[in-house]
Amino acid sequence: TQSTRPQRLLHAVQKNATRGDPRSVVKAIDNFCRQKEWAMNVGDEKGCILDSVVSEVNPVTVLELGTYCGYSTVRIASLLPPRAKIITLEFNPDYAKIARQVIAWAGLEDKIQVVEGPSGEWIPKMKEQFGVKTFDLVFLDHWKDRYLPDTKLLEDCGLLRKGTILLADNVICPGTPDYLEYVRNSPRYKSQYFKSHLEYTKAEDGLEKSVFLG
Ligand SMILES: O=C(NCCO)c1cc(-c2ccc(F)cc2)cc(O)c1O
Ligand SMILES: [Mg+2]
């Protein structure tokens, strides 16, 4: 039976990366996507912007929406302080299965909780299920038409605090126009665009960093 792209990506990690070395996992995925098959990881160019935001925020509690194969999950978790945690939501069970194995290869299971299912259903349960008070950083990288409704849901569930950083991938390509309009015009956010390129291509894309003002 034919393997899937996430399965081939996992095999590239298991073949080329060192167990317990998150940066070698990130490098192995980037090399696979540059040399073999494009895949929708945030990639190294936008990944460096992600790294700088994570290092600046130094978050204790992170929410990632959209795990895919765990590339950005591993990238973020490798920069977190010891007791910090990241909860990552993934709707697609096949992606979640691969992501758990990529995360295990990186040796980051203790910092990462992969949760399967629809973000719209899980966000209201964050406090009761995972003992989350508020998030310090939210990385949005899931279905582009869910960025805005899920942001409003995070607000309504009291999961954002004054100073929480929202970092959104793909605000140009594929694009999240309604989300951009909201965070750029709402008095409750201070927003900033980081121009970059769609992972592994020359097409324009970028990250939008928005601070929740409370
Ligand atoms: O859909 C995306 N993510 C959620 C999946 O569960 C996604 C898509 C693309 C992309 C795809 C096809 C194309 F032609 C251009 C961009 C890129 C990304 O970074 C993404 O995160
Ligand atoms: Mg993306």
Side-chain angles (χ1 to χ4, degrees), residues 40-42 46 139-141 144 147 169-170 199 205:
M40 58 183 165
N41 317 115
V42 73
K46 289 185 289 180
F139 181 53
L140 298 94
D141 194 20
K144 309 315 162 191
Y147 283 28
D169 189 26
N170 310 118
E199 50 267 26
D205 189 22

Side-chain angles (χ1 to χ4, degrees), residues 4-214:
T4 66
R5 181 167 308 181
Q7 281 169 335
R8 294 192 293 272
L9 182 150
L10 170 64
H11 294 150
V13 166
Q14 293 168 334
K15 179 166 180 271
N16 304 305
T18 308
R19 265 185 174 285
D21 177 355
R23 301 314 290 183
S24 75
V25 168
V26 167
K27 198 158 286 309
I29 295 172
D30 282 329
N31 289 341
F32 172 78
C33 293
R34 270 196 296 268
Q35 295 157 14
K36 300 283 188 332
E37 306 182 55
W38 186 91
M40 58 183 165
N41 317 115
V42 73
D44 196 47
E45 190 180 319
K46 289 185 289 180
C48 286
I49 300 167
L50 171 62
D51 291 351
S52 61
V53 171
V54 173
S55 302
E56 175 202 336
V57 176
N58 240 324
V60 172
T61 315
V62 182
L63 174 64
E64 175 180 64
L65 300 174
T67 316
Y68 186 44
C69 296
Y71 173 93
S72 49
T73 326
V74 164
R75 203 159 176 142
I76 294 167
S78 70
L79 298 172
L80 295 182
R83 270 169 308 292
K85 297 271 186 267
I86 174 167
I87 296 173
T88 181
L89 301 189
E90 178 49 61
F91 177 79
N92 183 312
D94 300 322
Y95 296 168
K97 220 161 132 293
I98 298 294
R100 291 183 204 281
Q101 297 172 80
V102 168
I103 288 161
W105 196 268
L108 291 168
E109 311 92 313
D110 297 350
K111 299 177 104 64
I112 299 166
Q113 169 129 35
V114 179
V115 179
E116 282 180 49
S119 50
E121 288 178 22
W122 274 111
I123 287 170
K125 296 179 183 165
M126 281 290 146
K127 295 196 178 215
E128 67 188 287
Q129 294 283 329
F130 305 107
V132 168
K133 212 170 132 319
T134 55
F135 290 109
D136 304 312
L137 171 68
V138 181
F139 181 53
L140 298 94
D141 194 20
H142 59 333
W143 287 346
K144 309 315 162 191
D145 60 359
R146 288 297 315 176
Y147 283 28
L148 182 53
D150 285 344
T151 296
K152 290 181 170 174
L153 197 51
L154 286 164
E155 290 174 14
D156 297 345
C157 296
L159 286 163
L160 305 183
R161 56 146 171 98
K162 193 187 294 289
T164 296
I165 301 291
L166 303 188
L167 189 64
D169 189 26
N170 310 118
V171 296
I172 303 300
C173 177
T176 63
D178 59 345
Y179 172 80
L180 269 192
E181 201 274 334
Y182 180 72
V183 291
R184 289 178 175 175
N185 297 304
S186 164
R188 303 183 77 185
Y189 292 91
K190 177 86 190 82
S191 225
Q192 183 183 7
Y193 176 59
F194 291 81
K195 183 178 164 119
S196 185
H197 295 94
L198 177 67
E199 50 267 26
Y200 319 113
T201 78
K202 291 186 167 58
E204 181 181 346
D205 189 22
L207 300 175
E208 187 81 2
K209 177 189 172 193
S210 308
V211 187
F212 184 61
L213 302 173

